[in-house]
Amino acid sequence: MEIAVVLLVIAVIFVTQSIRVVPQQHAWVIERLGKYLGTLTPGLNFLVPFVDRVAYKHVLKEIPLDIASQVCITRDNTQLQVDGILYFQVTDPMRASYGSSNYIVAISQLAQTSLRSVIGKLELDKTFEERDIINAQVVAAIDEAALNWGVKVLRYEIKDLTPPKEILHAMQAQITAERGKRALIAASEGRRQEQINIATGEREAFIARSEGEKQAVINKAEGEAASITAVANATAQAIERIAAAIRQPGGEQAVQLKVAERAVDAYSRVAADASTTLIIPGNMSEVSTLISTAMKMVQSAK
């Protein structure tokens, strides 16, 4: 009975030592008598008990690695407190096991040295503007060395760039001055545009007024010309009719009668006004002749 129990225990130990179930996205490195034998893939695997052993276990997923904060000096001798995060993935479990004693520490240290080297080539302003370039250069520098460690560096991201307080104050003052400058430029541009608009409006208004005055003068001149033409035409027609009437029989006598009537009427109005001094012409024969002629024409008319 005791022998059966011992055999059962040995069998259980044998089974537990020979069967290995590897999870998905994991890789286990197997050694046989201290020598690399192979890599177990996800699923059910069998080992030789007490001969084979699982030496290393690796996760094949993408792993984020927080890079410790460090002080970097830029090209213009400015200190920056920089921290970031690195994303990598184990691609060769055998190299990851034997290529480095601790590939995580190696990657972290290499990321820090590469970051210091890249930032040392840039000026302070460029470090804020060219984060993508910094990240790409750090990844390229780490990835080349990490191939020997069976690791693929996927990307690096700078989490924070913190300059000294003095630099921050100077940058804030510069930003404030730049914004004030932009505000002054915008205000001056607004005033300039306002003056241009006012001048343009006054110019257009002056042109419009001058055009209106010009058109008014033209219209007035055309009206006066039309009026003068109409008066001239009427006068010409009246003269033509008078001339035609004079050429008729008795027309000349009628003209003389009209003239005599006007003369007599004029003298009578002057004589009727007591305040008016009447000056009688020296040659009264002309007046009497005019009056006698008019009387004869009246009698003949009767």
Side-chain angles (χ1 to χ4, degrees), residues 70 79-83 128 131 160-165 168:
Q70 62 177 334
Q79 294 183 354
L80 282 178
Q81 192 78 20
V82 185
D83 60 348
F128 295 98
R131 286 197 178 192
D160 193 15
L161 287 172
T162 307
K165 293 182 179 179
L168 285 176

Side-chain angles (χ1 to χ4, degrees), residues 2-40:
E2 294 178 357
I3 297 175
V5 173
V6 171
L7 293 175
L8 180 60
V9 171
I10 293 174
V12 171
I13 295 174
F14 184 87
V15 171
T16 55
Q17 291 293 322
S18 62
I19 297 177
R20 291 289 186 272
V21 178
V22 180
Q24 184 66 33
Q25 286 295 93
H26 287 70
W28 293 359
V29 175
I30 304 301
E31 291 181 353
R32 175 168 291 177
L33 299 178
K35 182 181 179 180
Y36 172 74
L37 177 64
T39 302
L40 298 182

Side-chain angles (χ1 to χ4, degrees), residues 157-180:
E157 297 291 340
I158 296 176
K159 292 195 298 184
D160 193 15
L161 287 172
T162 307
K165 293 182 179 179
E166 296 79 7
I167 301 297
L168 285 176
H169 293 162
M171 293 173 64
Q172 186 64 37
Q174 181 181 2
I175 293 173
T176 303
E178 184 66 24
R179 290 179 178 175

Side-chain angles (χ1 to χ4, degrees), residues 9-298:
V9 171
I10 293 174
V12 171
I13 295 174
F14 184 87
V15 171
T16 55
Q17 291 293 322
S18 62
I19 297 177
R20 291 289 186 272
V21 178
V22 180
Q24 184 66 33
Q25 286 295 93
H26 287 70
W28 293 359
V29 175
I30 304 301
E31 291 181 353
R32 175 168 291 177
L33 299 178
K35 182 181 179 180
Y36 172 74
L37 177 64
T39 302
L40 298 182
T41 59
L44 182 63
N45 296 272
F46 296 95
L47 303 178
V48 177
F50 308 108
V51 177
D52 299 339
R53 73 181 186 91
V54 178
Y56 300 96
K57 295 181 180 182
H58 298 287
V59 178
L60 303 183
K61 300 177 183 179
E62 181 177 342
I63 300 173
L65 177 62
D66 192 13
I67 305 300
S69 178
Q70 62 177 334
V71 176
C72 301
I73 299 177
T74 63
R75 184 178 179 181
D76 49 356
N77 296 324
T78 302
Q79 294 183 354
L80 282 178
Q81 192 78 20
V82 185
D83 60 348
I85 185 168
L86 182 71
Y87 297 87
F88 71 94
Q89 186 177 20
V90 176
T91 57
D92 190 341
M94 190 272 288
R95 288 190 177 184
S97 301
Y98 304 104
S100 174
S101 60
N102 191 332
Y103 62 86
I104 294 179
V105 175
I107 292 174
S108 177
Q109 294 296 322
L110 185 57
Q112 289 183 327
T113 56
S114 300
L115 181 62
R116 286 196 296 267
S117 176
V118 172
I119 290 181
K121 299 176 182 179
L122 300 175
E123 295 182 355
L124 178 62
D125 294 338
K126 294 295 183 180
T127 57
F128 295 98
E129 298 174 1
E130 300 181 356
R131 286 197 178 192
D132 294 339
I133 297 177
I134 296 174
N135 296 336
Q137 292 180 358
V138 171
V139 169
I142 301 174
D143 194 44
E144 183 178 357
L147 291 176
N148 296 326
W149 306 331
V151 176
K152 173 68 176 176
V153 178
L154 302 177
R155 60 188 180 276
Y156 178 82
E157 297 291 340
I158 296 176
K159 292 195 298 184
D160 193 15
L161 287 172
T162 307
K165 293 182 179 179
E166 296 79 7
I167 301 297
L168 285 176
H169 293 162
M171 293 173 64
Q172 186 64 37
Q174 181 181 2
I175 293 173
T176 303
E178 184 66 24
R179 290 179 178 175
K181 175 184 174 183
R182 292 178 182 177
L184 291 176
I185 292 174
S188 63
E189 288 292 334
R191 289 192 297 270
R192 173 177 173 270
Q193 189 63 40
E194 179 184 4
Q195 293 175 358
I196 291 174
N197 293 338
I198 293 174
T200 302
E202 291 178 351
R203 173 176 170 270
E204 293 178 354
F206 178 78
I207 292 174
R209 286 194 299 269
S210 63
E211 289 292 335
E213 293 173 356
K214 174 184 175 183
Q215 190 63 40
V217 171
I218 292 173
N219 294 339
K220 182 179 179 181
E222 290 178 352
E224 292 178 352
S227 176
I228 292 172
T229 302
V231 172
N233 291 333
T235 304
Q237 291 178 1
I239 293 173
E240 288 179 357
R241 292 182 180 179
I242 292 171
I246 291 173
R247 287 193 295 268
Q248 298 294 326
E252 186 176 355
Q253 290 79 5
V255 173
Q256 294 176 358
L257 175 61
K258 190 66 175 177
V259 173
E261 289 179 351
R262 291 290 180 90
V264 171
D265 183 63
Y267 277 110
S268 62
R269 285 200 302 270
V270 173
D273 190 356
S275 62
T276 303
T277 302
L278 178 63
I279 300 175
I280 300 174
N283 189 3
M284 295 298 294
S285 61
E286 294 180 1
V287 179
S288 61
T289 302
L290 181 60
I291 295 173
S292 63
T293 302
M295 294 301 294
K296 289 179 180 180
M297 291 181 65
V298 172

